[in-house]
Structures are given as C-alpha cells and as structure tokens.
Amino acid sequence: MAENSALTPTTGSTSLADSSIFDSKVTETSKENLFIGSTSYVEEEMPQIETRVILVQEAGKQEELTKALKEIKVPFVKMESVEELKSLDSPEFENVFIVTDFQDSVFNELYKTDCRVIGPPVVLNCAQKGEPLPFSCRPLYCTSMMNLVLCFTGFRKKEELVRLVTLVHHMGGVIRKDFNSKVTHLVANCTQGEKFRIAVSLGTPIMKPEWIYKAWERRNEQDFCASFDEFRNEFKVPPFQDCILSFLGFSDEEKTNMEEMTEMQGGNYLPVGDERCTHLIVEENIVKELPFEPSKKLYVVKQEWFWGSIQMDARAGETMYLYEKANTPELKKSVSLLSLNTPNSNRKRRRLKETLAQLSRETDMSPFPPRKRPSAEHSLSIGSLLDISNTPESSINYGETPKSCTKSSKNSTPVPSKQSARWQVARELYQTESNYVNILATIIQLFQVPLEEEGQRGGPILAPEEIKTIFGSIPDIFDVHTKIKDDLEDLIVNWDESKSIGDIFLKYSKDLVKTYPPFVNFFEMSKETIIKCEKQKPRFHAFLKINQAKPECGRQSLVELLIRPVQRLPSVALLLNDLKKHTAEENPDKSTLEKAIGSLKEVMTHINEDKRKTEAQKQIFDVVYEVDGCPANLLSSHRSLVQRVETVSLGEHPCDRGEQVTLFLFNDCLEIARKRHKVIGTFRSPHGQTRPPASLKHIHLMPLSQIKKVLDIRETEDCHNAFALLVRPPTEQANVLLSFQMTSEELPKENWLKMLCRHVANTICKADAENLIYTADPESFEVNTKDMDSTLSRASRAIKKTSKKVTRAFSFSKTPKRALRRALMTSQSSVEGRSPSSNDKHVMSRLSSTSSLAGIPSPSLVSLPSFFERRSHTLSRSTTHLI
C-alpha cells in the first residue's frame, strides 16, 4: 500500500502516481504466492480462508445491506467502534469492512491498517447481479467508473489533483500518468498541451473535472455509470473553451450566426483587432490582406478550423488551417486580365477575345470535359453548370469510392472532320450526363459516406434513419447513370451516324422506373430533414459548412445538389427530342429515339402518379395524427383527401351549438371532428421524432351514401355562410339534420357544396349531382348565425360545459353504458310504437320520398349513432320544400 498511500489526502507524496505500476506489483506478488503455494501443496494442504463482512457503525443499521449479504451467502458481523477491531481479527477469516462514509475517522483508521474497505453500493450491486464481492487493493465505494482508464492534464494544484485521483479510485477507475491508446477519458483543466492534442486526434472524450465530482455525488445510485452518454456529454470540454474569437470578411448574417455558435460551444468573441483575442477567423475567399499585423500569440485561421472544431466536438489543431495571403502570380495575372479600364484596354480586350476564341476551339475539338488546372478549382463561375472532371486532383478519398468515379475519360478521341448537328447534340448529351454523374458522386463521397462512417469523432453526426431519409436511393440512381454514361462514352468514341442512342435509354428504362420514384416522391421530406437537422444539430451544420465550401460543390448547398435528380429526366427528354430533330428519316435510330422518349415520358408519368398517391396517403396520415380517436379504417389505398373545411355547429348535432367543427371530405366518406378543449402532450415516434399533439377530437366517420340532401341556406341578416346536411343513418328510420356555418373565406360556399354533391353522386353511382342540392330559407329549419361570436354566447357555452363536468363529477350512481343504451332504445320504441296522426303520416311519406337516393352503407365505416335526437316537428315543416 506504499504507492497507494501517495494518492490519499493523508500523505504528502507525489501528486499523480500511475496506478498501473501498483497493479503490476500486485500481480507479480500474487504470481509468486501462487508458485510457492503450488510447490508446498504436496507437503501440506493450505488452510482455506473464508471471507467475512464487517458492517461498521451505520452500515449495520441498513436492512437492505444485511438482506443483500444473505442473498450472496456471505457471513457478516457488526462493529460499533474501532476498539473492536482487534477482537474481530482471526486467521480463519479475511475481513471486508463496509463503511458508509469514506471521509470520517473510522475509514481513515481502517485505511491506515491496510484493511479491505468497500461501500454499500458495491454489496447491493453484487447482490443484484448475483456475483461475489470484488477484490480491490484500494478502498472501493462504488463501481460507477469501473473499466474506465483516466489521464489528467493541465492541473497545477497538487491538492486538487490528489482529490480527483482519490475519487476516481473510490469509484473503481484506473489512472495512467502518460497518455496512450488504452486511456478512455482525458480530464483536462486547459485546452493546450501534448496530451490534449493526442486526445483530439484519437477522438478520446475530453472531460471537465466537474465530471468526476458530479459522478461522486451520484455514488449511491444503483445503476449509475459515469460513462453514460447522456451524463458524460454534460461535462465534455467544449471546442472553444478558453478561446476568444473574432471574425473577418463575413456578412452580418454569417457573423451573427458564428458568434452565436461560439457562445454555444463555450467560447467568447470580440471585435477584430482586440488584443485579448486568441483566434482570428478569416473568410479566405474574400479577405486578400489583413487590416493589421497580427501578434505572435494570435492564431489567424480559415473558417474551416471553426466549423471543423464544431463537427469534431473538440478544438482542432490550428497549424493545418493557418491563413496565408493569396498573393500568387496566377492571381495577379487574373486580376490584370479583369482590369480593362486602363490606357491599354483595347489591346487587353483583343487579347482576352483571342484567349476565349482559342478556348472555344479547344472545347469544340474535344467532346469531353476539359481537365481543370489546380488554380481553376477556386474560380468556378456561379452561373456555370457544376462541371467536375474525373481527374486525380479532384478525386475525394472518403471511404469507398464508386468505381465509375475513378474511371478516367478517353482523351484520345477521334473527332469527325465535319461535325454533324446530330453529333453535336450527342456530345452535349454525353457531357451533361458526365456532369450529372459527377454531381451524384460528389453527393455520395462528400456527404453520404462520411455521415455513414463508423467511429466518428464525437459520435455519429446524424442518426441512420435521418441519413436514409436525406439520401434515399441516390446510390442506385448513381449506378444506373454511370452505366448510361459509359455506354454514351463508348458510342461517342466510336462514333457513327448509324449508331443508336435511343437503345441506351431503352436498355435502362426499367432501372429508371425502379430508382427515381422513391427519391423524387420524398424529396420534400429529404429537404425538410436537412433544414431541421441543420437547425437542431450544430455538428451537422458545421459538417455542411465545411463540405459545401469545397470546390467540388461549386458553391452549392446540399439541397441544391439533391434537386438535380428531380430535374434530370426532363432535361434528358428535351435533349433526345433535339437529337430526333437532327436525325434523318432513313436512320434506324429515328424510331428508336421516339420509343426512348416515350419510355422516359412513361417513367415521368409513373413518378408523377406515384408522387400523387404518396402525397395523398401522407395527407390521410396527417389527418389521423391530427384527429384524436380517428378510426384506423380511415387508412385505405383507394381513399384520398379532397377538401378540408372549417365550420361552426349551428344545431345540437353532431355537437353542441357554437363548437368549432372541422369537416374532412374524402372521396367516399366525411370525417367530422371538433376542436379539443384540452391538449395532451406531444407524441414521440420510435425514431425519436416528436409530433405536435392532436388538436381535434373525432366525432363521426360518415359514408357519403348516408347524405340524402345538401341544403344551401339562403343569406339573410341573421344567417351567413350556412349550409345543412340531411343524413339518414342506417340504424335510424328518420332523417337527421346537421347544420354548419363556414368560417373560412378561402373556399366559397357554392364551390364547397358543388364539390360535396359531386362526390356524393359518385359514391351512390348517380350522374345528376345537381339534384342533390336544394336552396332553403333559414327560418324553415330554425337555423341562424346571429350572435355566434358574441361574448354572451361564448359565456353560455362555457357555462354549459362546466355544468356537464360538475354533473359528472358529483354523480354518485354511475349508470353503465349498457343500461343507458337499453333505456334509450326503450324510450325510442315507445315513441315509435304510438299510432301516428294523419299529419305525421303525411310527413313520413314526404321524408321517405326525399330519401329515395339511399345507398348501400359501407360496413368498413363507422355510422352515426342511433341515439340522434330527431327534430320531427322542424322537418315536418321543411320537407315540403324538398320535393
């Protein structure tokens, strides 16, 4: 215990002893004892020593400890004072002391006498797992840092370091003096030094000292572990700790964003030129010269250092990102060519014109994209098409590169002496296809592969399902177009007017049908996922900033690159049409091109139809999520959402008067939902995505076949935008009137009623949709919209709802639903059983005539309940208007 004593507060030895040295000595000692024991085993059998637990003071009063010791079948005794220690010493037992407080005098006395001391959490943990008590050379209070190897850096105070090392040992951790690959965590008190740099390069988590203190505070928690990501991430050293940044060359919006990110990542910022700044972040594409001479202590770095540090979740090394003046001869030459307002401007214009003419001649002679100079990689024009040559200089080494990305073009291409118009269009088709394949390769290599890479520093940037949503079938599209590009290249290299270009696209038409719809249909979702993740995840935002600034992206964002597959097939169809115009009638490729254009149109039609179905299904899912208690059978492959209308109920059905009601019109049914009065918490999907709470409450899902008449209520002073539905539920023998007032001005009432009648007629297989709609006076049906939004009306509705709640709360006799239903059916049968008068007979005959359009009710839909109250007197006065 000599080495171990150096790590306790009671001694004044070295501040940071490597516990691995002591562990190795213990191992060697145990090996020697094992060797000696094995040689003497023959002469004399070694006596067996049994482990005995001694519960010291407060530990003996804890019933859970005694119960746990009984479970693991370990004998125990209780000790109240240190004076009993000598009496408990016996050669037959190896004593293990359980102490509840590792700071009191009893613990210090036991520690000085080299006793084995453990804490209560160790015993409870062993009982829970059914394991024996662990052997530990040092006092072990808990196992929350078991299997963790820690190294320290940047600590100047010996007392603080000794305290931290002691706590780590008490929690089962191991200390290493020198940093190596076995270290799992670096505890840093500053962001400088060799250990810090190595930890960043290896991706080792760098922790604050508070991590150890907070872990010790939770030492009594049974299932706690200090390496849990959720706990550990709270105490990681942020990338810009101890850094004061300033920004030069950025727009006001970019500068504000970067300053906010700096504070989020633990740093501070000051204006440019402040002597307290440690880093100056420069926009290298704009700033050509610094406005002042920087001091030796100031790091002048490119913006890539800033975003790279955030992406790695650790401060990156500055030497790789130092800013250098862009004062090269090539830059001076390009600036002089652009300065045409000099005395020699005419000569310079002529020289520039000759240069452009020569460049155009070189382009005309070669059908392949020209090889870019290294200096030209930084001078891509904004308006030009993204053109990335397949040169070794522009290749990207992120993971596994697709084969066609590394395949070089055949530059020794025989060019026809007279270039025909057909050849020119074919060459343009190949060049655009080559550029498109390079764009897809850029998306995969720069974005998808790094995001999918395992072992990322700081953990995965995005979840696997988010990566799948963003990129979708891009790799499959890339594979198909790589084959098309190779076939076009072979055709251009061995050019002949009789060669068929249409056959190439006919050959891959089925592959295009398979690969494009999954991506195009969910492109909007991919775009929304990128925007959401960029806002919520700083590391992903930094990742995009770094890669979108590279010349391979041509200063385009990931969203702008991902829209290319959406645009590609229409542009190919236009080029094939142009190629057909320049193809002679006797050329066999003429008819083949027509077939190829037709196949592309079929692919685009299939995409559009599939997209329409996908959007329709998504709309239905949105309704299901928005309406609480919505029937599951609303989801059907043949069903689509037609219109959504916001209304207010004017009668007592389907809900109280004045309730806000939303009508969802589908092609075969009508979903009726009211606004919820109380919203429950958000819904979280298995992938961790949150949905807003349902804002509506389901009332009825009604087949359109149950709607017998649609009533257009005339506009009066007391009635505006009102309409009614005459409904015949299958369980009822009379019609029910549902009246509403439209609250939205976007959709005119006339258009809504015509749309509703048309779908009702389609459902019941009738061609005369106009006969379903009738115009009626509001007085005939006692319908009015007066005072719907008045304070008195709202107060009356609130009082009515409150009274219902109070009645339910103080109801002592809870009547079963079955008894209520039986009572309602009895009351209805008694009313229907009486002999009707002549006037009632006349009314019922009129109602039966107006219900001649009754359709067959769908068993898969929920009909209106049978306990609708019938307004027979109102209907008797109004049915004469419906004939």
Side-chain angles (χ1 to χ4, degrees):
M1 297 296 290
E3 289 83 357
N4 191 51
S5 63
L7 302 178
T8 61
T10 57
T11 60
S13 304
T14 179
S15 61
L16 180 58
D18 193 339
S19 60
S20 61
I21 300 174
F22 180 70
D23 295 338
S24 61
K25 289 183 178 180
V26 172
T27 306
E28 291 173 0
T29 305
S30 61
K31 287 182 179 179
E32 292 174 1
N33 293 337
L34 180 64
F35 178 74
I36 296 171
S38 61
T39 54
S40 60
Y41 180 79
V42 181
E43 300 174 1
E44 183 178 345
E45 186 178 356
M46 291 288 293
Q48 293 185 354
I49 301 177
E50 187 178 3
T51 301
R52 181 177 63 179
V53 170
I54 300 177
L55 301 174
V56 181
Q57 294 179 344
E58 293 296 326
K61 301 177 183 179
Q62 297 182 8
E63 295 182 0
E64 56 180 353
L65 275 178
T66 57
K67 183 179 179 182
L69 291 170
K70 291 177 181 178
E71 289 180 2
I72 58 178
K73 299 178 181 180
V74 176
F76 62 90
V77 295
K78 298 180 181 181
M79 186 180 78
E80 294 297 333
S81 62
V82 183
E83 287 73 17
E84 302 177 23
L85 183 61
K86 293 182 179 179
S87 62
L88 293 174
D89 191 13
S90 172
E92 299 178 0
F93 296 100
E94 181 186 5
N95 294 325
V96 179
F97 296 85
I98 299 181
V99 181
T100 57
D101 187 4
F102 274 28
Q103 304 295 328
D104 61 6
S105 57
V106 177
F107 169 78
N108 292 332
E109 290 293 332
L110 294 173
Y111 181 75
K112 288 178 183 178
T113 55
D114 293 340
C115 296
R116 284 180 59 188
V117 183
I118 61 176
V122 176
V123 180
L124 298 176
N125 187 49
C126 291
Q128 184 181 11
K129 297 181 179 179
E131 298 175 352
L133 295 176
F135 178 83
S136 176
C137 303
R138 306 181 186 87
L140 180 66
Y141 188 86
C142 63
T143 58
S144 57
M145 282 195 174
M146 190 68 72
N147 301 323
L148 300 187
V149 182
L150 276 63
C151 185
F152 291 84
T153 183
F155 291 88
R156 296 180 178 272
K157 295 182 180 180
K158 176 182 175 182
E159 295 78 10
E160 181 184 8
L161 182 61
V162 170
R163 172 65 177 161
L164 290 170
V165 171
T166 302
L167 292 180
V168 171
H169 284 155
H170 288 346
M171 291 184 284
V174 178
I175 305 298
R176 290 288 182 268
K177 185 176 181 180
D178 298 323
F179 192 93
N180 54 40
S181 59
K182 294 182 179 180
V183 174
T184 59
H185 297 79
L186 175 68
V187 182
N189 204 29
C190 68
T191 57
Q192 297 176 355
E194 183 181 359
K195 292 181 180 178
F196 187 90
R197 290 286 116 224
I198 297 174
V200 171
S201 62
L202 294 178
T204 304
I206 304 173
M207 311 303 298
K208 299 178 182 178
E210 289 80 4
W211 175 55
I212 298 175
Y213 291 127
K214 290 294 181 180
W216 179 249
E217 290 178 5
R218 300 179 62 176
R219 61 188 179 276
N220 290 315
E221 296 183 19
Q222 190 68 22
D223 298 321
F224 171 72
C225 181
S227 61
F228 286 160
D229 290 339
E230 188 175 353
F231 173 76
R232 185 182 63 182
N233 291 340
E234 296 180 18
F235 305 100
K236 291 183 71 172
V237 173
F240 301 137
Q241 180 173 304
D242 303 333
C243 296
I244 302 175
L245 312 182
S246 57
F247 303 93
L248 180 64
F250 300 93
S251 64
D252 293 339
E253 184 180 356
E254 288 178 320
K255 185 179 178 182
T256 303
N257 179 34
M258 296 175 80
E259 288 173 349
E260 291 176 355
M261 297 289 288
T262 300
E263 290 184 334
M264 288 174 57
Q265 302 299 326
N268 295 308
Y269 61 89
L270 290 172
V272 175
D274 196 298
E275 295 180 354
R276 291 171 292 176
C277 289
T278 59
H279 295 75
L280 175 62
I281 317 299
V282 179
E283 168 55 277
E284 63 274 13
N285 297 320
I286 295 178
V287 178
K288 303 304 177 185
E289 190 172 350
L290 297 179
F292 63 93
E293 187 66 28
S295 63
K296 295 182 179 179
K297 296 182 179 180
L298 180 66
Y299 288 107
V300 183
V301 293
K302 304 174 185 177
Q303 62 169 326
E304 191 175 355
W305 173 85
F306 179 84
W307 299 115
S309 298
I310 297 176
Q311 180 186 331
M312 292 192 305
D313 202 18
R315 178 178 163 185
E318 291 85 359
T319 55
M320 297 176 58
Y321 304 96
L322 293 177
Y323 169 77
E324 297 177 358
K325 292 183 180 180
N327 196 21
T328 59
E330 292 80 6
L331 179 62
K332 290 182 178 179
K333 184 177 179 181
S334 62
V335 172
S336 64
L337 287 175
L338 294 175
S339 305
L340 300 179
N341 295 324
T342 60
N344 298 324
S345 59
N346 292 331
R347 186 171 66 254
K348 291 182 178 180
R349 284 197 189 97
R350 196 181 317 113
R351 190 186 308 156
L352 180 60
K353 189 181 295 184
E354 291 174 357
T355 305
L356 292 174
Q358 181 181 359
L359 183 62
S360 63
R361 284 195 300 272
E362 291 174 355
T363 305
D364 291 338
M365 291 185 65
S366 175
F368 302 102
R371 292 172 61 92
K372 296 200 302 275
R373 302 187 313 275
S375 61
E377 292 181 354
H378 302 281
S379 60
L380 291 173
S381 61
I382 297 176
S384 65
L385 182 68
L386 185 62
D387 186 5
I388 309 167
S389 59
N390 294 324
T391 58
E393 291 81 6
S394 64
S395 61
I396 312 145
N397 297 322
Y398 279 117
E400 185 179 354
T401 305
K403 294 181 179 179
S404 59
C405 296
T406 57
K407 182 178 179 180
S408 60
S409 301
K410 303 178 179 67
N411 291 322
S412 57
T413 308
V415 181
S417 56
K418 293 183 179 181
Q419 300 170 1
S420 64
R422 174 176 161 83
W423 186 87
Q424 293 279 2
V425 178
R427 185 196 63 173
E428 183 182 357
L429 177 62
Y430 166 73
Q431 286 180 336
T432 57
E433 188 68 20
S434 178
N435 291 336
Y436 177 59
V437 169
N438 288 330
I439 291 172
L440 296 177
T442 299
I443 294 172
I444 294 172
Q445 297 171 9
L446 275 187
F447 297 97
Q448 185 176 4
V449 172
L451 287 173
E452 292 177 342
E453 200 172 40
E454 295 182 359
Q456 299 176 29
R457 293 179 183 177
I461 297 176
L462 292 180
E465 57 271 10
E466 291 172 333
I467 299 174
K468 182 64 178 176
T469 303
I470 291 174
F471 297 101
S473 59
I474 284 288
D476 299 328
I477 296 174
F478 172 78
D479 292 338
V480 175
H481 280 274
T482 301
K483 297 174 184 176
I484 295 176
K485 174 206 162 189
D486 293 341
D487 290 354
L488 286 174
E489 184 173 344
D490 292 337
L491 186 142
I492 295 294
V493 169
N494 305 299
W495 177 255
D496 188 271
E497 290 291 333
S498 61
K499 290 285 183 73
S500 176
I501 296 177
D503 283 337
I504 296 175
F505 290 92
L506 286 175
K507 178 181 176 182
Y508 298 104
S509 60
K510 292 182 179 180
D511 295 329
L512 295 175
V513 172
K514 291 179 182 178
T515 56
Y516 268 91
F519 180 81
V520 177
N521 294 341
F522 294 97
F523 172 72
E524 289 300 325
M525 188 182 296
S526 171
K527 181 179 175 182
E528 292 172 2
T529 304
I530 293 174
I531 295 172
K532 182 193 72 174
C533 292
E534 191 173 5
K535 288 181 179 179
Q536 297 178 354
K537 302 186 177 183
R539 293 181 60 211
F540 181 63
H541 178 72
F543 173 80
L544 292 182
K545 282 287 186 181
I546 293 172
N547 290 288
Q548 289 171 174
K550 293 180 179 179
E552 293 91 335
C553 290
R555 294 185 175 273
Q556 297 185 73
S557 66
L558 177 58
V559 174
E560 291 171 335
L561 294 175
L562 286 173
I563 204 173
R564 295 303 182 91
V566 180
Q567 303 169 339
R568 181 56 187 165
L569 291 185
S571 64
V572 171
L574 291 175
L575 285 172
L576 291 182
N577 265 316
D578 196 15
L579 190 65
K580 188 181 76 170
K581 292 178 183 177
H582 295 89
T583 302
E585 293 293 336
E586 62 274 9
N587 194 324
D589 195 28
K590 185 85 171 182
S591 59
T592 310
L593 283 172
E594 291 179 356
K595 294 179 182 178
I597 295 169
S599 68
L600 279 180
K601 288 182 178 179
E602 288 179 5
V603 173
M604 289 185 284
T605 303
H606 180 78
I607 291 173
N608 293 333
E609 182 66 21
D610 201 25
K611 185 177 181 181
R612 186 189 64 80
K613 291 180 180 179
T614 303
E615 290 176 349
Q617 292 295 314
K618 184 177 180 295
Q619 288 177 338
I620 298 179
F621 273 104
D622 291 340
V623 172
V624 172
Y625 284 124
E626 187 178 3
V627 179
D628 182 32
C630 186
N633 55 7
L634 178 67
L635 298 172
S636 178
S637 58
H638 73 277
R639 185 167 293 129
S640 60
L641 179 64
V642 178
Q643 187 64 47
R644 170 181 178 153
V645 178
E646 301 294 338
T647 66
V648 174
S649 176
L650 299 179
E652 298 301 324
H653 305 294
C655 55
D656 294 337
R657 175 179 169 83
E659 288 272 8
Q660 296 182 22
V661 178
T662 303
L663 304 178
F664 296 96
L665 176 62
F666 294 89
N667 58 325
D668 63 341
C669 62
L670 184 69
E671 165 66 20
I672 306 175
R674 66 167 175 82
K675 185 178 180 181
R676 294 189 63 175
H677 306 303
K678 185 182 292 185
V679 178
I680 308 175
T682 58
F683 166 75
R684 181 174 292 274
S685 69
H687 300 306
Q689 300 176 350
T690 57
R691 284 192 174 274
S695 59
L696 302 174
K697 179 71 175 178
H698 167 73
I699 300 178
H700 301 298
L701 180 60
M702 180 173 61
L704 294 183
S705 58
Q706 294 182 10
I707 300 177
K708 305 309 173 186
K709 294 296 177 185
V710 177
L711 305 180
D712 183 5
I713 309 298
R714 287 193 179 93
E715 296 289 319
T716 63
E717 292 184 1
D718 296 336
C719 189
H720 299 286
N721 254 5
F723 69 95
L725 304 177
L726 196 64
V727 179
R728 179 68 175 274
T731 57
E732 294 289 324
Q733 297 182 1
N735 293 340
V736 178
L737 187 70
L738 309 179
S739 55
F740 306 93
Q741 179 191 19
M742 296 180 64
T743 58
S744 176
E745 300 293 337
E746 297 178 0
L747 179 66
K749 183 178 72 170
E750 181 182 359
N751 295 353
W752 156 246
L753 295 180
K754 287 182 178 179
M755 184 189 306
L756 177 60
C757 291
R758 185 172 66 252
H759 284 87
V760 171
N762 292 339
T763 303
I764 61 178
C765 300
K766 293 289 184 180
D768 51 346
E770 295 80 7
N771 294 335
L772 291 172
I773 188 169
Y774 286 84
T775 304
D777 295 325
E779 295 82 6
S780 304
F781 297 92
E782 299 179 0
V783 175
N784 70 84
T785 61
K786 189 177 181 180
D787 299 331
M788 288 300 297
D789 295 328
S790 65
T791 305
L792 183 61
S793 176
R794 289 195 296 269
S796 175
R797 292 195 295 269
I799 292 171
K800 190 175 181 180
K801 292 172 187 174
T802 306
S803 65
K804 287 183 178 180
K805 292 179 181 178
V806 171
T807 303
R808 288 195 298 266
F810 288 93
S811 177
F812 295 101
S813 58
K814 303 293 183 180
T815 309
K817 292 182 178 179
R818 188 178 303 171
L820 281 174
R821 194 178 297 113
R822 190 184 304 114
L824 287 168
M825 292 176 64
T826 305
S827 63
Q828 290 172 6
S829 61
S830 63
V831 173
E832 295 171 359
R834 65 180 176 86
S835 58
S837 62
S838 60
N839 186 32
D840 290 339
K841 291 179 179 179
H842 174 72
V843 172
M844 296 306 293
S845 64
R846 290 289 189 182
L847 284 174
S848 61
S849 64
T850 59
S851 304
S852 58
L853 296 178
I856 302 173
S858 173
S860 64
L861 296 172
V862 180
S863 62
L864 290 169
S866 60
F867 51 86
F868 261 133
E869 180 184 350
R870 291 179 295 279
R871 302 168 63 181
S872 58
H873 297 289
T874 303
L875 292 177
S876 66
R877 294 197 303 269
S878 61
T879 47
T880 55
H881 300 282
L882 305 180
I883 305 302

